[in-house]
Amino acid sequence: MPRQKRATLVITRAIIMTALLLGGGLLLFLVTTSRVEGRLAAEESPLSAFVPVVLADMGGTANTPTATVEQSPTTTPTFQATATPSDTPTVTATATLTTTPSPTATSTDTPTATPTPTTTASPTETPTLDPEATQTATATATATLTATATSTATPTATATTTATPTMTPTLPPGKELLVFDWNKEVTLAESGFAVDIPPIANDDWTKPINFAEGTLYFRAQIRHQPEAQDDMRLGFCFWQGDAENCAGAEVPGRAGTIVYWSRPIKDLYKADGLGIDWTQPRRRNGFAVRNGKNNPVSDKQGGNWAGEDPLKWYPLDLRLTVVVVEKGAGFSGWGNYINDSP
């Protein structure tokens, strides 16, 4: 074969080999590009795979929460692929995932549970295809769940104690003595003292019946006073030598006033601490008319009417009755002594 023809054959074979190599490289480039585009298409919307997982972790949309949870995850994947047509293709992928949860729990006393799921997806895709293909995908997903949990208040029972009154037994009637019964006016001439001299029932009160440790019962009834003295007091006393034992009460000087009171003999007021000797007769007994300061409205012993105007006080028309009941006995009642009294 001539040298020139041989050289032509070699060149033709080189051209054919070059064409085959170029065709194979182009085919490999197209296959590689197709695979990259398929992968990007599958990953360009990651939210479609992420949101069901989030809802599954929360228990589904029909879940009834027991606390308030607000979660705002933000997912930002970024993908970059580069393909270079050459005999040896190279693919480079870069992925970035960022999640930021913000839990908040709130509990109120309102019996209402209201879950409100909100999902917002904002995908942004910017593809670029050239000999060095570059594609970037950005997706943002926000899931918010708001719930109000109910707390039920349990009432607290408060124990109430009701006091039961203690009943005082009524003593059976016993022996009684009428000690004093003034049933007329107290005049200026009497100077505020209404007394019996000597007293009635003036025997030994210690035997045979023990009146000395019994109880005195008093009844005062006002019929008239020139000017009603609302702070008037009546003080009943026993006098024996230097001993003066008394028991008094406030008796307003208005017509129709009736006042009852009682006093154990052992609790009588004792002037200068001197008590009555109940085995011996008393010199006198009776009552004194006193003002609101407990001073006798009298001119005796330089009393000067205790600074009061006696004409507004006397004559004082009233009835004062005193009964003594033996030790350990009850009072039979005023109906046994006064006709119009219970």
Side-chain angles (χ1 to χ4, degrees):
M1 180 180 296
R3 181 178 298 177
Q4 183 178 2
K5 191 179 287 189
R6 185 180 298 172
T8 301
L9 181 59
V10 171
I11 292 172
T12 302
R13 289 180 178 176
I15 292 173
I16 293 173
M17 291 297 293
T18 301
L20 290 175
L21 290 174
L22 288 176
L26 180 61
L27 179 62
L28 180 61
F29 170 75
L30 293 176
V31 170
T32 301
T33 302
S34 175
R35 289 181 179 179
V36 171
E37 287 179 350
R39 183 182 301 173
L40 292 178
E43 294 176 347
E44 72 178 4
S45 182
L47 181 63
S48 61
F50 174 73
V51 171
V53 173
V54 173
L55 293 178
D57 289 340
M58 295 178 181
T61 58
N63 181 47
T64 301
T66 57
T68 300
V69 179
E70 182 176 345
Q71 186 170 2
S72 301
T74 302
T75 304
T76 307
T78 303
F79 302 93
Q80 182 175 356
T82 303
T84 303
S86 62
D87 294 340
T88 305
T90 302
V91 178
T92 302
T94 302
T96 302
L97 179 63
T98 302
T99 302
T100 304
S102 300
T104 302
T106 304
S107 176
T108 65
D109 288 335
T110 303
T112 305
T114 307
T116 306
T118 304
T119 303
T120 304
S122 302
T124 303
E125 180 179 351
T126 307
T128 303
L129 184 62
D130 54 22
E132 296 182 356
T134 302
Q135 184 168 353
T136 302
T138 302
T140 301
T142 302
T144 302
L145 178 62
T146 302
T148 302
T150 300
S151 62
T152 304
T154 303
T156 303
T158 302
T160 301
T161 303
T162 302
T164 302
T166 302
M167 301 300 295
T168 302
T170 301
L171 297 175
K175 297 297 182 179
E176 301 176 356
L177 288 176
L178 179 63
V179 176
F180 184 83
D181 190 17
W182 185 277
N183 190 16
K184 57 184 177 180
E185 291 181 343
V186 179
T187 64
L188 280 172
E190 290 159 327
S191 190
F193 284 88
V195 296
D196 282 347
I197 304 175
I200 61 176
N202 203 27
D203 298 327
D204 184 352
W205 278 17
T206 64
K207 61 183 181 181
I209 301 170
N210 188 1
F211 292 110
E213 295 183 277
T215 302
L216 293 166
Y217 290 84
F218 302 87
R219 179 187 184 273
Q221 179 180 359
I222 305 299
R223 289 191 283 256
H224 176 73
Q225 188 173 36
E227 290 189 19
Q229 305 298 319
D230 290 335
D231 60 351
M232 183 176 72
R233 300 179 63 86
L234 301 179
F236 183 84
C237 299
F238 297 93
W239 286 272
Q240 183 189 66
D242 293 331
E244 179 181 351
N245 292 183
C246 306
E250 183 175 313
V251 182
R254 295 184 177 275
T257 297
I258 300 177
V259 178
Y260 303 89
W261 73 99
S262 64
R263 186 74 52 83
I265 292 178
K266 65 182 180 62
D267 293 337
L268 292 175
Y269 164 77
K270 299 175 178 61
D272 298 324
L274 298 176
I276 297 291
D277 180 1
W278 299 103
T279 66
Q280 300 299 315
R282 278 67 63 193
R283 179 166 54 90
R284 63 177 178 170
N285 59 15
F287 67 90
V289 179
R290 300 171 179 266
N291 64 9
K293 297 179 181 179
N294 207 32
N295 295 321
V297 183
S298 172
D299 66 346
K300 292 184 177 181
Q301 299 178 349
N304 193 27
W305 308 104
E308 305 286 349
D309 182 356
L311 297 179
K312 295 180 180 179
W313 288 71
Y314 307 109
L316 173 60
D317 189 5
L318 80 164
R319 185 175 187 179
L320 178 65
T321 308
V322 183
V323 174
V324 63
V325 179
E326 68 172 313
K327 177 183 179 181
F331 181 42
S332 64
W334 288 107
N336 295 322
Y337 301 90
I338 300 172
N339 294 333
D340 58 352
S341 179

